[in-house]
Amino acid sequence: MNALTYVALGDSLTAGVGDPVDGAWRGWAALLATGIGSRERPVEFHNLAVNGARTWDVLHRQTPEALALRPGLVSVVVGVNDTLRHTFDLRAVAARLDEVYGALAGSGAALLTACLPDPGAMLGLPGALGRPLARRQRAVNAVVHALSERHGALHLHAAGEEWLADRTLWSADRLHPGERGHRVFAARCHALLAAAGLAVGPAPGEQPELPPPTRSASLWWLATEGTGWVARRCTDLLPQLLALAAAEVRHGLCGTSGGLDARAARSVAAALTGLTGCTGFTGLTGLTAAEGQPGGGVSAPVTTNRTRVPGTACAAPARSAGRTTPTTG
């Protein structure tokens, strides 16, 4: 009996933070794994995600381990932590993700990716502080969207306003989904995989078993865990973020805020055209609209033999969907 090996790569979102079960984190990837297989095709699930992981960690630590497991399905959801560092470099993020996606898709595994809302909005940062982080996350999302298309991945658009508006989806820390959020994320991924014939089991239920966090729980987190988290991020990011906020205010007063968005658009184009085999990227407008579409809709499964990044001369062979390999562990 051949099993489907599903390997999940990423950061604390995929590690399951916000969805505690029996003293450990479960999360959307574990929930998704329960609905992929069948009696005839069981699933071997391996979660390699690590709290705080960035694209460098996924490339150099998680991807080699994933390839050694000979997966038939791999999910890669990462990038938020890159935006929260003063060393943020969109070109480097794009290059790492391109290498990760290429290695995994090239192994024959089906690839699942997602774009996410910006952390500044989730934390409720003031406009001048939040906008630079939002711009960074939109840029990462545009890169993820383009590279997902390039490598024939199934891509979930999860950057919509629904995640911001429905507080019952989020845990007390305001950065990770709660149980219901993880369940909704898993159900949407399942729908995407099912449409491509990669999930044959029942979809994970969206109704939580535990109530959403109360306001007092959120305040307790902020007073305990949250202060440490903010302090660590402030030490690394705050000086640069204050400079970015000052630029936001200055451009706002001068009526030139659009220039910051245009600069971000050029950064995305440069990051993508700088990749091996990519030239003439002009597709940012379409990508930005797609990654932020209302409701966090999902893209259609790839049905052609080759996929192309809009506005580029890039093309890559589509991955062979649903390859299963025998597993023993």
Side-chain angles (χ1 to χ4, degrees), residues 295-306:
V298 297
S299 61
V302 176
T303 56
T304 57
N305 290 329
R306 301 182 71 82

Side-chain angles (χ1 to χ4, degrees), residues 205-234:
E206 296 187 18
Q207 295 305 312
E209 298 172 355
L210 299 174
T214 62
R215 178 173 177 79
S216 60
S218 299
L219 292 174
W220 177 252
W221 177 87
L222 183 62
T224 55
E225 300 293 331
T227 51
W229 186 92
V230 171
R232 290 191 297 272
R233 291 299 177 268
C234 285

Side-chain angles (χ1 to χ4, degrees), residues 54-265:
R54 288 176 271 175
T55 51
W56 189 95
D57 302 290
V58 170
L59 172 61
H60 295 287
R61 295 173 178 168
Q62 298 179 24
T63 297
E65 189 173 351
L67 291 172
L69 293 169
R70 301 178 62 196
L73 171 65
V74 183
S75 61
V76 181
V77 183
V78 70
V80 170
N81 288 312
D82 290 81
T83 70
L84 296 175
R85 298 298 191 278
H86 76 280
T87 54
F88 176 69
D89 182 344
L90 188 63
R91 284 177 180 263
V93 168
R96 292 171 194 142
L97 289 177
D98 189 47
E99 190 171 348
V100 168
Y101 293 176
L104 296 171
S107 74
L111 181 60
L112 174 66
T113 64
C115 57
L116 299 169
D118 75 273
M122 296 312 306
L123 286 171
L125 294 180
L129 288 172
R131 281 193 293 273
L133 291 181
R135 197 174 287 112
R136 284 184 175 187
Q137 189 61 47
R138 286 197 300 270
V140 170
N141 284 346
V143 165
V144 169
H145 183 102
L147 295 180
S148 296
E149 191 168 349
R150 181 184 186 187
H151 293 287
L154 297 172
H155 180 67
L156 179 71
H157 300 283
E161 289 298 318
E162 178 185 346
W163 289 91
L164 307 182
D166 189 350
R167 297 307 307 173
T168 66
L169 291 173
W170 294 89
S171 66
D173 67 12
R174 298 174 62 90
L175 280 172
H176 300 94
E179 181 191 354
R180 180 166 174 252
H182 277 284
R183 286 184 173 277
V184 168
F185 197 93
R188 288 184 173 175
C189 288
H190 185 278
L192 192 61
L193 294 175
L198 298 175
V200 296
E206 296 187 18
Q207 295 305 312
E209 298 172 355
L210 299 174
T214 62
R215 178 173 177 79
S216 60
S218 299
L219 292 174
W220 177 252
W221 177 87
L222 183 62
T224 55
E225 300 293 331
T227 51
W229 186 92
V230 171
R232 290 191 297 272
R233 291 299 177 268
C234 285
T235 300
D236 182 78
L237 178 64
L238 185 58
Q240 185 187 48
L241 186 56
L242 291 175
L244 293 172
E248 289 282 344
V249 173
R250 184 172 65 254
H251 279 275
L253 293 174
C254 295
T256 56
S257 297
L260 296 174
D261 293 327
R263 184 185 305 170

